[in-house]
Amino acid sequence: MIDLSSRDKLVADIIAYFDSDKFLVKDAKNPDDLRLRRLGLLSPSDAKIIESELLKCSEDYRYAAGNYFCISDKDGNDQLMSLWDGQELLLQRMEDMKARGKPQLVIAIKARQLGLSMFGCSMVFWNSVFKRNKKGLIVSEDLVQSQNLFSSYLSPLYRQLPWWLKPQSSVFKEDGIVFDKPAKEGGMGLNSSIAVQWASRKGGLGQGYKLNAFHGSEFTAWDNLAESLEQDLKYALVRQPSTIGILESTAKGAGTPSHAFYNKCEALAEQSDWEAVFLPYFFEKTRVMAPRKGWRPEKEDLRMREVVYANWTVCDNKKCLRYVNRKSSTGVRDGEKCPSCKIGTLGPYTLTDEQIYFMVNERLNSSAQRNIDQELALTVEEAFVAEGEQVFSKQSIKALEYMVQTANPPLPGFMDKHGFFHGYREDDLDRKCHLDGCKIWHGGEIQNIRVWEKPRTGESYQIGADIGYGKGKDYSVATVIRVGRSGGRDYQCATLRSNIIEPLEFAYLIAKLAKWYNEAQVAIEYNTPGNSTADHLAKVLNYPNIYRERATNSTLHWVTNQKSKPKIIITLDRWLKEEIFIARDKLLLDEIKVFTKAVDSVSTGAEQGFNDDCLMSAMIALYTAHAGDYEDNLGIVPQKIDKDPTTCLYRMDCTACHKMWGSDNPRMMDNCPFCKSMMIRATRNMSVQMDTSSDYRESSMFTPDMLDVYSKNDSHWYEPSYESL
């Protein structure tokens, strides 16, 4: 029994009319004969009704799917197709691309069971069954999976169509459908078809076709993905706004061709034919679980809320309740009208306790953490997990994912010949420069600098640089960090990145950037080709503030070798884990995730096809920024505090490492000087006389960071604010 409750009443009446006894035909020899005899019973007004419905279906996918496409739900019950959240978001993106004159080509990385296979097949089916001269193609990783798509989706969609909408098919088999009956033979003269192929077949995908619609399922499992996308489909797909293309899959590992292709599409949204979309696990609303009695979200759990809040809004119309991505090319702000229903208003969204508990329970009960991260991902960064052994800890990567997801977007720009930074948003049509007094319209310059935080008066900055040859392959990267004072946090402020600037020219840009950031100390990796950049900066440009290795007090800049590389890796790993270093760059996150250890070796580096330039420059900057002792198992550790807790106004206690020290002004301390934990507490030492003018009169207090963690509602984690651009 099919659930028809969602069907438009007028459509229901039309279907009932054409299924009535008026069109009952007996003793038909075959389906073609039955159709022809039924068509002969139509009056001119009947034909106009059918023509009107065909037109509505051909112009509006939602109308056709919601009234005529019958599918099976998860329990095996037949029902009319109703768009799920992920399907609706993907359709919105495709409609936006069409409005901008682009082919509707999307690459979707998703959590599992969001209905995208059904959606992709139905889009191809709709394009071929209601429009003339359209060629569609459906592809999966192998023959079995492709035939399964046909039998599970295409065949039922065709069978369940009303007889008066169903085009006749001269070919109907597991490798496709052809709708080519001419009108004089009782057909509609569509001359449309849907082919079913598989990625591993010989001869290339879509060979000999001019495709108007395409659906590729589980593309991350395709053996020849690059060849299929860059050669076969590139030339087979018609470059028109009406062209439909959907690539969908769960992620199958960082460092893979699918990861590289997704990143390329995401970075070059306007230049690439394909646009990247990510669909998280909470789009499936049944993924909830009632928490056990006494359960409360932990710090890592609460961060899931912050990530979702930073990325998604939701419509307040109860008949819609769609999610909209804040950061997509069609992103919106709170308070705007919903682009789906056009009625509701968009507002902030975050996860419920039931949604968080579901994920916590899934991870606890899973024997394969990697598969859970891929199949129930909250962010695309979580979805892509490196195939090799990752060098950085899972905890560090999770912390970095949170930092990146909640960071403000960078301001892209460039340094002029006078050393002034000009920046403007890429979506700003007026090219309004952030530099006060700048009247120049920008648009032709190469924006090779991204700035998250402008220089602050009185602050110290460190620059680490990893240099490439500038020949269009490896990148030259310089990373700027604001060095935390008195044991405070370090913040990533800016990144200079290019693969076309030669080493000597890059030295000039570093000098300008360093001067802007309060004459920052610079440490360049003194390995070929970086030695020419470093020498030019020191000996030709005479830049005064260059890092000098403390052990020898002679070697300028930084030398990476088998002894020094583990030190900078350990330092960054611990700094991220303890959240002492606040990074903001998605490129840094991507590189950390594919930074792996060789199977039979101690060597470390980026997986094949990926870079580690942003990572190396950040590690060099962080390590060289800090004075202090180095411990092989901990990296850089702060120098010990000698203040006696019995003679200071306050006794300081760390709830993480349980160390104790004294302080007269506890609110000036961001974290523990020993382990860098923010979980520190100040207790008044009543034996020491306090100045009556002092503001510190409590008998016990927490540091500001700890107060934030244990806030009144205990539901959110707050990051310290930083200067917005």
Side-chain angles (χ1 to χ4, degrees), residues 363-375:
R363 286 175 170 167
L364 285 175
N365 294 323
S366 173
S367 59
Q369 180 67 46
R370 177 173 299 177
N371 291 341
I372 288 294
D373 286 341
Q374 291 177 163
E375 296 180 359

Side-chain angles (χ1 to χ4, degrees), residues 541-658:
L541 301 180
N542 295 314
Y543 186 75
N545 194 9
I546 296 177
Y547 169 80
R548 186 181 299 274
E549 187 178 353
R550 298 179 185 88
T552 62
N553 199 36
S554 59
T555 304
L556 290 175
H557 296 288
W558 171 261
V559 179
T560 301
N561 52 39
Q562 292 184 343
K563 183 179 180 181
S564 64
K565 192 173 184 180
K567 295 181 179 181
I568 60 176
I569 292 173
I570 293 173
T571 298
L572 178 60
D573 188 56
R574 181 168 177 255
W575 251 236
L576 289 173
K577 191 184 301 179
E578 299 291 340
E579 298 170 34
I580 304 168
F581 176 51
I582 306 300
R584 295 155 171 169
D585 190 1
K586 185 180 182 300
L587 293 177
L588 175 62
L589 172 60
D590 290 340
E591 292 186 6
I592 279 183
K593 296 188 71 172
V594 298
F595 195 76
T596 58
K597 183 184 295 184
V599 177
D600 300 321
S601 175
V602 296
S603 62
T604 56
E607 293 193 347
Q608 188 175 0
F610 286 79
N611 300 308
D612 59 7
D613 318 284
C614 292
L615 174 60
M616 290 299 300
S617 67
M619 289 194 296
I620 293 169
L622 189 64
Y623 185 92
T624 57
H626 291 277
D629 299 326
Y630 178 85
E631 294 182 8
D632 289 336
N633 62 331
L634 293 176
I636 294 178
V637 295
Q639 295 183 351
K640 295 182 179 181
I641 302 293
D642 294 324
K643 289 186 177 180
D644 188 351
T646 63
T647 60
C648 294
L649 293 176
Y650 289 86
R651 187 192 74 218
M652 309 297 298
D653 299 279
C654 176
T655 61
C657 70
H658 306 293

